Every structure is written in C-alpha cells, then in structure tokens.
Amino acid sequence: MANLLIKCMAVLTMDGKGDIIRNGEIAVEGSRIFHVGPAGSTPEGFSPDRVLDYPRMVAMPGLVNCHTHAAMTLLRGYADDMPLMQWLKEKIWPLEEHLTPGDIYRGTLLSCAEMIRGGTTTFADMYFEMDQVARAVDESGMRAVLSRGMIGFGPNAESAMRESREFVRRWHGGAGGRITAQFGPHAPYTCPPEYLKRVMAAAEELGVGIHIHLAETADEIKQIKEQYGKSPVVLMEETGLFELPVLAAHCVHLDDRDIEILARRRVGIAHNPQSNMKLASGVAPVTRLLEAGAIVGLGTDGAASNNNLDLLEEMRAAALLQKVSIGDAAALPAYEALRMATVEGARVLGLGDKVGRIKPGMQADIILLDTRRPHLYPVFDLYAHVAYAASSADVHTVIIDGRVVMEDRRILTLDEDAVLEEAQSAAEGLVSRREAVKNG
C-alpha cells in the first residue's frame, strides 16, 4: 500500500472544536495516518510514494452513515408518499420477496458508488443475503458494519438466526478488517423478548454488537405499550439488550425516561431525519438526547425512503430540523452537526478508535472537498460551509484505509458505467417478476 502526503488549504481534524489546521498536510503510512500538521511539519524520514497537492481543497474525516439498507437503491422511486407501515406492507415487503442474491449485490454496488461520490467512507447496513452486501463492500473498498435483518416469528425466524451466526463467523473482520459484523433483529414489534434473548446470547458468544430499529413511529409505541405495558426503550432495557453494544436506528418517539436510559446505557443512536420526515414518522429529540449525553450519529436509511444516500444533505437537514422543531436557531449548530456525521457516527458504530478523526494512529479515511465553488465563497467559517453549503458534488477525492478510491470525481475501484447499467437491469427485472405474480 502506497504512502501518501496530502497537502491542502485546511484540515478539519474533528479532534476538538476550533482544531482547524490552515495550510495543512497529512502523511499517510499504509492504511493509517502517520502525521497531521501545518505545511512542512511532517517528520524527516517519511517517504511518500505519492503527493496529493490540492491547495484549494479542505481535508476532513470520511463521513459515516450509521443506518441504511444499501440494496434498496433498486427500489428508489418505486413507492413514495405513504406512511411507514402502509409503505412496507403494500409496496416494499411484497417487492422484496422477489429480490435475488444478484439483485442485492448490484443494488449494494450502486449504493457504494453513490456513497463514495458523496464522501461517505463507512456505512452500517441491515438487510438480507448479506454475503452479497459484503462482497460489494469488499470490491468497492468501503468500510461497513453489516447485519442480517432478523424477524423473530414465522417460518424464517430460525433460518435468520442460523444465517446470522454464519455471516458473523464468515465476515467479522473481513475485507482486510474493513467489515464489522453484527446481529440485526429488526425491531421490538417483529422480535419478541424471547427471540431477542437468543440473539443476545449469540452476539455475546461471538463478541459482536446488535443493530435494531427502535421507537421509530407512534404506531410502534402504541403497539408495544398495549402488548407489554411499557415503551420500546424500556422493554429493551428490561430484556437486557443494552448490556451489549447496540446501534439503535431512529429513536424518534422518546420520553424523558427513554432518553435517560439511552444516554446511561451508551446506546449508539442513528438519526435519520429525511427518512423520518418523508414517512411522517416524526422528529427525533436530538437536542435533548445530546444534552443528556447520548451518542448520536446520522443515517440516511434506505434509498427507497429518502431517496438518496447523501450524508452532507442529511447533515444539513438534521441541523435545520432541530432548529425549526424546537424554535431555537442555536439548536444543533454546524460544528455539532458535523461531529454527528464524523466522529460521533464512528462512536455510534463502535469504531471511534479507528475512524471519524484525522489524528495520528487512526485509519486513513479522508475526503477532500473542492472549495473553489461559487456556493462556498466567501470563506468565513469552514464548519458552517460544510454543514450548510457544501454538496456531494464538491467531494473531489476519497481515501479509505489509505487507498485512494476516488480522485477528481472518478471512482477507481468500480466500473461506474457497468454498475449503473446492471442496477437498472436488475431493478426492471425485479419489478417485472413482481407484476407477473401480482397479475396472476
């Protein structure tokens, strides 16, 4: 693996507020960051194989997408403008029954290309046929936290358990250490406590965490309270789920007790503002969660409910949504939103010691933004520029694990034209199979 020396206009290290290195440089040795500092400060003896000299670029940590369903890019635009349960039951689940392993591979490759172009270097995914997802991650060069979605009742409950165990054994630490495997019980309303306890035992045995949807809709809160007499968060607490590392997606409908539990138990929370808005699921109390000391990152959810995987856009939406929902223009300021997309997102996924900051010893997941754009002038506050003005089209170069995977807007790990054509063909075939069955 090549040693790199990156020279740029500024480095946003995300290793402490105000810690911007103007006219900075980053030395990358193999897959790790060796040094970061002002121009000319790299220790003598470091010998770069390549120098990336970009005087108009801003370097920052790669973005972290804490929750998505990558292969659902194939369903983008298939079903819109419907509430969650109707959307799932009438459109998404019936179509997903016709997905093939090849479809999932092609849909995931499409999502990887989209995320790389938008500066996302790490993502968390819950779906099925996860070997195909892992294969796509490996080929694209991305970093990912992957879990096989599990429904705890019905004919597939046992196969989901078996396949999840096999997937964790096969892929945890895979792709040169870029893949982390987890168990993925779908939600409290699809995985009863008895099943969750079996999932927890398997996760503890194999030394991995859990990815679950939690407190996403008002209907979920109503159903769980009617069935168990308590909120989904309290139910998970009493079931013992939070004894393990947990990635909880959404966490929209929370009371004070729920927030206290999530903060105390150090549950990683994936906030998905645009999906929650589009499905009318509600507004997560992010400001209150942060005030309580909870760990909150950002996710896009799947492209069928967003409809893109643009984390820069998600960051802006998160900040603006908190401001308008609580009537406070100072809520979730630019720097805090940027932390959610980088260092806090890494902590949510249990990767805080590896990625999310530009610091010696961390894995070299770095993106370069081209600031020579009309919408990024004049320059006053770089944090605000990234959080409120930058777009995915500004991402010029992406480095993951020390490897340049995109440079000058050209993805180097994938044949992008082939990815697009094969994804289109897969999506059309999927819908055709569904319509053939539907029409008898």
Side-chain angles (χ1 to χ4, degrees), residues 233-423:
V233 171
V234 172
L235 178 63
M236 295 300 96
E237 160 90 331
E238 295 182 357
T239 302
L241 188 73
F242 300 147
E243 298 292 334
L244 296 169
V246 171
L247 163 58
H250 300 292
C251 296
V252 174
H253 297 274
L254 307 172
D255 61 22
D256 290 343
R257 184 181 179 190
D258 295 333
I259 290 173
E260 186 277 327
I261 290 170
L262 293 170
R264 173 168 47 84
R265 288 294 194 172
R266 313 307 290 157
V267 174
I269 299 166
H271 174 45
N272 304 268
Q274 293 194 112
S275 176
N276 293 156
M277 284 191 283
K278 188 180 178 217
L279 294 170
S281 297
V283 181
V286 172
T287 302
R288 289 167 56 208
L289 283 163
L290 294 175
E291 288 172 351
I295 306 169
V296 186
L298 290 173
T300 59
D301 212 349
S305 65
N306 189 311
N307 291 18
N308 63 38
L309 306 177
D310 186 338
L311 209 69
L312 284 167
E313 187 179 291
E314 207 74 37
M315 187 193 329
R316 181 161 53 251
L320 300 186
L321 183 59
Q322 288 302 301
K323 296 174 191 301
V324 72
S325 66
I326 65 176
D328 181 2
L332 198 58
Y335 181 74
E336 294 304 324
L338 192 52
R339 280 185 60 87
M340 288 173 63
T342 53
V343 60
E344 294 303 316
R347 292 178 67 207
V348 165
L349 300 187
L351 300 176
D353 61 340
K354 294 183 178 181
V355 298
R357 293 172 290 162
I358 297 181
K359 180 178 180 180
M362 304 289 279
Q363 297 299 126
D365 289 10
I366 301 164
I367 63 174
L368 289 158
L369 301 178
D370 188 350
T371 63
R372 194 75 173 178
R373 305 295 181 92
H375 61 277
L376 296 176
Y377 267 73
V379 178
F380 292 115
D381 184 332
L382 287 174
Y383 295 132
H385 265 19
V386 176
Y388 298 141
S391 75
S392 59
D394 301 327
V395 180
H396 178 278
T397 294
V398 175
I399 299 165
I400 304 175
D401 221 36
R403 178 188 184 187
V404 180
V405 300
M406 185 176 80
E407 188 171 9
D408 197 14
R409 299 291 296 163
R410 185 170 72 89
I411 298 176
L412 305 178
T413 53
L414 301 172
D415 181 340
E416 191 170 359
D417 286 339
V419 168
L420 299 180
E421 291 172 7
E422 291 174 9

Side-chain angles (χ1 to χ4, degrees), residues 46-288:
F46 176 79
S47 179
D49 299 296
R50 281 196 68 192
V51 177
L52 305 179
D53 192 359
Y54 291 124
R56 70 184 193 187
M57 306 283 180
V58 169
M60 59 176 285
L63 304 177
V64 180
N65 186 342
C66 292
H67 178 69
T68 190
H69 310 285
M72 292 183 80
T73 50
L74 295 187
L75 283 61
R76 188 189 339 247
Y78 175 76
D80 293 307
D81 306 321
M82 303 169 69
L84 177 63
M85 292 315 298
Q86 180 187 5
W87 177 78
L88 285 171
K89 291 178 179 178
E90 295 182 10
K91 293 289 186 177
I92 300 303
W93 286 341
L95 189 62
E96 285 180 329
E97 291 178 1
H98 301 279
L99 280 166
T100 68
D103 291 337
I104 291 172
Y105 168 69
R106 292 179 183 91
T108 304
L109 278 182
L110 178 62
S111 75
C112 289
E114 181 179 353
M115 285 189 279
I116 288 170
R117 278 192 164 276
T120 292
T121 55
T122 301
F123 70 100
D125 193 64
M126 178 198 290
Y127 215 52
F128 48 95
E129 297 288 352
M130 293 305 293
D131 285 322
Q132 300 300 322
V133 176
R135 177 185 164 202
V137 169
D138 193 11
E139 290 180 18
S140 70
M142 292 194 73
R143 192 180 306 280
V145 179
L146 306 179
S147 56
R148 197 267 195 218
M150 310 168 74
I151 303 296
F153 50 77
N156 296 322
E158 293 309 311
S159 61
M161 182 73 73
R162 182 181 66 255
E163 290 171 13
S164 293
R165 294 178 71 100
E166 292 170 355
F167 176 74
V168 170
R169 290 192 178 104
R170 188 157 49 244
W171 281 103
H172 187 52
R178 289 182 287 106
I179 290 179
T180 301
Q182 294 183 330
F183 282 81
H186 173 259
Y189 59 89
T190 54
C191 293
E194 296 76 19
Y195 189 80
L196 279 173
K197 288 177 180 178
R198 294 178 58 203
V199 174
M200 291 155 48
E204 188 170 17
E205 174 194 340
L206 295 174
V208 298
I210 288 174
H211 186 173
I212 190 170
H213 298 82
L214 186 62
E216 182 175 1
T217 66
D219 285 345
E220 176 188 341
I221 304 302
K222 180 181 178 183
Q223 178 180 338
I224 294 299
K225 284 192 173 179
E226 288 177 351
Q227 190 169 358
Y228 299 100
K230 57 199 68 172
S231 75
V233 171
V234 172
L235 178 63
M236 295 300 96
E237 160 90 331
E238 295 182 357
T239 302
L241 188 73
F242 300 147
E243 298 292 334
L244 296 169
V246 171
L247 163 58
H250 300 292
C251 296
V252 174
H253 297 274
L254 307 172
D255 61 22
D256 290 343
R257 184 181 179 190
D258 295 333
I259 290 173
E260 186 277 327
I261 290 170
L262 293 170
R264 173 168 47 84
R265 288 294 194 172
R266 313 307 290 157
V267 174
I269 299 166
H271 174 45
N272 304 268
Q274 293 194 112
S275 176
N276 293 156
M277 284 191 283
K278 188 180 178 217
L279 294 170
S281 297
V283 181
V286 172
T287 302
R288 289 167 56 208

